[in-house]
């Protein structure tokens, strides 16, 4: 017999499992990490509260993504009235998130990205870490400390990101061949 | 159709650095080009992984060597550095503005979702093995889960870690700070289960009695277990509410946050930005414990009650005054007093200063406050709970900056005031990721 407790536990487990693609969808839709955090929390609450309505765990991601879609729309309606969002765009991104998850789970890509970060030369790794380490330092400050002009620094970061994406693609390809 | 410049456009779209016209054109393409939309999802995912990795790497590099309590103070810059940081911040924001917010993302990023550690560790970095019963006989221990959840357990307690985001508390109490990355954090007790939905909450379990949950921020789901291992019932416990999972009555009783501790402390009421905590951890203001790092929330800890002063105590009786002579006060020897510690430690990223404003209403007169580091250290022997057995123990303090204004009161970083009837303490503390604000409040003990 499935108890409410089992259901909650299952919901929490599935949320953890699909956190990355759900979060990526929300982040792509609102493009603000702080707002994405809030929306993800709202989605998590809604998922746990209404998990008993889910007919099959096989469709969990589609179901949770639908909840996220509604929350993102609600976010734009409530907080960004001056910039009305195109609901079609949010729907398109939701479908894209589902396709991405079906083709190649985001968690796999995440794993490859971490591997690729390890393979970067230390100089590049330190540079990209500086950009993402929450230190709050501006591009100008980091550029100055690196002995580069801002435009050159921006270009360098773009190149590192490109290298990382190529590395991810290569590793995913190798894995599919194996 | 993917175009040559799309990589850059996708990144700049995520970074919010495109112009309104460029956004409009790009969103039209996103609606019509499924492959481009898929790439945006992948890039958004990459961005999050990089942010988490960067934050985790920074955190790992910031973990200090284990050493005496005093040495950890070195991680917290002296308060005089604050002025320098504020001016650096001003420059940074100017550059940010000029760059159109390319790095705005960083300023809004929060707790990392990735931890470089693979399992649960103590705040010292020592790993904690799963499914091994741990007994804490004295003091406190902070567990760091890989998901970002931080749990401060107070002795006496027995517990075990059951997974990367779950634990079992057999006996004792803890306070947990769970960021969004740790949503789903699960605590089992002999009476039920608590599933966190991103929050700050505490759990107290008396093995043969009940489990009490208090939610300060966010929500949790509390479930009561029956004898066959299923559940009797479940309830969502909301912010500023508490619940008791009572095995004897087979029920979950929910109530607004209990005031019993406040009553015991002689506190009539306090503002929403204030959290009253019964147990003060051994080492505050050293960066050792992170549970109490919270933006916009100040904690109040009762330190020592019913202390009879053996000699006169100099302190600040009128903190809103600007001159030293007008601020000064003295409590005569023989007076019996209660001492509370106010503590504020925001967790926002470096460079950002977050204020907290609060009020606490006591049912007895507030005799004064101890605001600066030197006087906090000097009065430890009187008021620090751990000095009861060893008056010479030393602790690290940070104090406040209520007197920084000097000639210009508006230049103060922190403000503390006591009402004319001396029953209400109000404060506005401004602090950042690498700073804490703390001070003592001395209140007359009940007769």
């Amino acid at each position: 017999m499935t108890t409410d407790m089992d259901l909650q536990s299952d919901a929490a487990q599935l949320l953890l499992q699909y956190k990355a693609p759900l979060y990526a969808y929300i982040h792509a839709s609102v493009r603000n990490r702080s707002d994405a955090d809030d929306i993800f929390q709202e989605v998590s609450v809604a998922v746990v509260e209404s998990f008993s309505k889910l007919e099959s765990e096989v469709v969990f991601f589609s179901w949770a993504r639908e909840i996220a879609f509604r929350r993102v729309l609600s976010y734009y309606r409530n907080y960004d009235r001056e910039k009305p969002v195109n609901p079609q765009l949010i729907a398109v991104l939701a479908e894209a998130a589902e396709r991405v998850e079906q083709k190649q789970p985001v968690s796999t890509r995440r794993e490859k990205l971490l591997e690729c970060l390890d393979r970067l030369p230390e100089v590049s790794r330190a540079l990209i870490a500086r950009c993402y380490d929450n230190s709050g330092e501006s591009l100008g400050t980091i550029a100055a400390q690196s002995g580069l002009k801002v435009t050159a620094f921006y270009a360098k970061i773009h190149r590192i990101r490109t290298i990382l994406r190529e590395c991810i693609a290569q590793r995913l390809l190798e894995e599919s061949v194996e | 159709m993917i175009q040559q410049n799309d990589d850059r456009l996708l990144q700049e779209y995520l970074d919010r650095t495109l112009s309104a016209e460029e956004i409009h054109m790009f969103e039209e393409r996103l609606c019509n080009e499924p492959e481009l939309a898929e790439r945006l999802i992948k890039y958004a995912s990459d961005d999050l992984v990089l942010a988490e990795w960067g934050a985790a790497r920074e955190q790992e590099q910031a973990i200090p060597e284990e050493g005496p309590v005093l040495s950890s103070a070195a991680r917290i810059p002296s308060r005089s550095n604050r002025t320098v940081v504020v001016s650096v911040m001003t420059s940074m924001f100017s550059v940010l503005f000029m760059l159109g917010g390319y790095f705005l993302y960083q300023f809004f990023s929060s707790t990392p979702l990735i931890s470089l550690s693979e399992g649960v560790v103590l705040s010292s970095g020592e790993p904690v093995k799963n499914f091994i019963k741990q007994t804490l006989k004295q003091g406190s221990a902070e567990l760091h889960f890989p998901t970002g959840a931080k749990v401060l357990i107070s002795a006496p307690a027995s517990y075990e870690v059951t997974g990367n985001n779950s634990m079992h508390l057999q006996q004792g109490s803890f306070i947990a700070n769970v960021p969004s990355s740790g949503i789903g954090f699960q605590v089992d007790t002999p009476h039920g289960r608590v599933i966190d939905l991103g929050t700050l909450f505490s759990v107290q379990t008396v093995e043969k009695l009940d489990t009490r949950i208090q939610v300060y921020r966010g929500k949790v789901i509390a479930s009561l277990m029956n004898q066959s291992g299923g559940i009797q019932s479940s309830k969502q416990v909301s912010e500023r509410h508490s619940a008791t999972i009572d095995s004897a009555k087979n029920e979950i009783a929910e109530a607004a946050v209990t005031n019993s501790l406040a009553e015991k402390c002689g506190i009539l009421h306090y503002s929403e930005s204030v959290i009253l905590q019964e147990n003060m951890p051994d080492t505050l203001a050293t960066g050792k414990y992170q549970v109490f790092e919270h933006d916009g929330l100040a904690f109040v800890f009762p330190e020592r009650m019913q202390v009879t002063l053996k000699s006169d105590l100099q302190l600040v009786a009128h903190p809103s005054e600007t001159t030293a002579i007008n601020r000064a006060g003295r409590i005569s020897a023989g007076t019996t007093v209660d001492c509370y510690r106010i503590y504020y430690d925001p967790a926002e990223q470096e460079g950002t200063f977050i204020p907290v404003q609060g009020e606490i209403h006591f049912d007895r007169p507030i005799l004064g406050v101890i605001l600066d580091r030197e006087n906090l250290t000097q009065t430890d022997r009187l008021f620090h709970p751990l000095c009861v057995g060893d008056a010479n123990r030393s602790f690290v303090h940070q104090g406040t900056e209520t007197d920084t204004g000097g000639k210009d009161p508006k230049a103060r970083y922190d403000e503390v005031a006591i009402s004319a009837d001396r029953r209400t303490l109000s404060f506005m503390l401004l602090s950042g990721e690498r700073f804490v604000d703390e001070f003592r409040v001395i209140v007359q003990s009940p007769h």
Side-chain angles (χ1 to χ4, degrees), chain B residues 174-175 202 214 216 261 275-280 292 299-302:
Chain B
F174 70 68
I175 177 168
S202 67
Q214 194 153 337
Y216 307 109
L261 177 61
I275 289 179
L276 182 60
Q277 268 292 300
E278 187 155 23
N279 297 312
M280 190 175 76
F292 298 104
F299 289 84
V300 184
F301 302 98

Side-chain angles (χ1 to χ4, degrees), chain A residues 3-6 8-9 12-13 15-16 19-21 23-25 27-28 30-34 37 40-41 44-45 48-49 75-76 80 83 86 88-89 92-93 96-97 99-100 103 106 109-110 113-114 117-118 122 125-126 128-142 150 153-155 157-158 161-162 164-165 168, chain B residues 7-8 11-17 23 27 30-32 34-35 37-38 40-55 57-58 92 95-96 99 102-103 105-114 147 165 180-181 183-184 186 188 192-193 195 197-199 218-219 221 223-225 229-231 234 236 349-351:
Chain A
T3 64
D4 288 352
M5 181 181 272
D6 293 334
Q8 287 163 12
S9 190
Q13 287 295 325
L15 262 177
L16 280 180
K19 187 175 68 184
Y23 213 106
Y25 163 58
H27 178 49
V30 301
R31 296 176 291 132
N32 178 314
R33 181 86 181 272
S34 172
D37 273 348
F40 181 72
Q41 181 174 0
S44 303
V45 172
V48 173
E49 282 180 345
Y75 157 84
Y76 275 110
D80 216 349
K83 276 187 173 180
N86 176 3
Q88 191 199 344
L89 174 67
V92 161
L93 292 178
R99 283 197 305 277
V100 168
K103 288 180 195 167
V106 164
R109 185 178 174 87
R110 178 192 189 97
L113 174 51
L114 291 170
L117 279 165
D118 277 346
E122 180 50 32
R125 197 163 54 236
I128 202 93
R130 288 293 305 278
C131 295
Y132 284 98
D133 68 0
N134 279 348
S135 68
E137 285 178 319
S138 71
L139 180 63
T141 308
I142 302 171
V150 173
F153 182 76
Y154 191 97
I157 292 299
H158 178 68
R161 281 167 164 167
T162 306
L164 284 171
R165 279 163 191 153
I168 296 168
Chain B
D7 269 0
R8 191 181 288 271
Q11 193 61 56
E12 289 180 357
Y13 180 71
L14 278 175
D15 292 341
R16 291 187 168 221
T17 53
I23 287 175
E27 288 186 342
L30 283 170
C31 288
N32 295 311
E35 199 187 335
E38 287 174 24
L40 179 66
I41 297 292
K42 289 176 187 171
Y43 282 30
S45 163
D46 291 350
D47 247 19
L48 288 168
V49 177
L50 286 170
E52 296 158 11
W53 170 82
R57 184 178 147 119
E58 185 197 24
M92 282 163 55
V95 176
L96 261 178
L99 291 171
Y102 168 72
F103 270 8
Y105 174 79
Q106 290 182 53
F107 282 85
F108 287 102
S109 61
S110 57
T111 317
L113 305 181
I114 288 179
T147 55
N165 206 30
S180 59
S181 54
I183 282 176
Q186 184 175 303
D188 288 301
R193 174 174 288 175
I195 291 182
L197 299 173
T199 189
K219 287 176 181 174
I221 290 179
S223 300
L224 171 71
M225 285 177 77
I231 61 154
S234 272
Q236 181 176 286
Q349 59 267 35
E350 189 183 350

Side-chain angles (χ1 to χ4, degrees), chain B residues 363-383:
Chain B
D363 65 0
R364 288 165 276 127
I366 303 164
L367 302 176
V369 286
I370 299 167
L371 299 167
D372 63 85
R373 182 160 65 177
E374 192 184 346
N375 284 315
L376 283 167
T377 304
Q378 283 174 1
T379 51
D380 273 341
R381 62 184 177 80
L382 289 173
F383 300 123

Side-chain angles (χ1 to χ4, degrees), chain B residues 190-191 224-232 247-248 250:
Chain B
H191 320 100
L224 171 71
M225 285 177 77
N226 61 29
Q227 287 179 337
S228 57
I231 61 154
Q232 187 72 26
S247 290
N250 256 357

Side-chain angles (χ1 to χ4, degrees), chain A residues 120-130 156-157 160 163, chain B residues 53:
Chain A
L120 275 181
E122 180 50 32
V123 178
S124 302
R125 197 163 54 236
L127 216 54
I128 202 93
R130 288 293 305 278
K156 206 171 176 66
I157 292 299
I160 297 172
I163 288 166
Chain B
W53 170 82

Side-chain angles (χ1 to χ4, degrees), chain B residues 133-135 156-160 168-173 188-192 203-212 224-225 244-248:
Chain B
K133 186 179 171 186
Q134 311 283 338
T135 304
S158 64
Y159 65 95
E160 62 185 70
H168 180 92
L169 181 70
Q170 185 67 19
Q171 173 82 31
S173 63
D188 288 301
T189 74
H191 320 100
V203 172
Q204 185 179 23
T205 289
V206 179
E207 191 176 347
K208 291 179 180 168
L209 189 65
D210 58 25
T211 292
R212 294 175 187 193
L224 171 71
M225 285 177 77
T244 302
I245 306 176
D246 192 326
S247 290

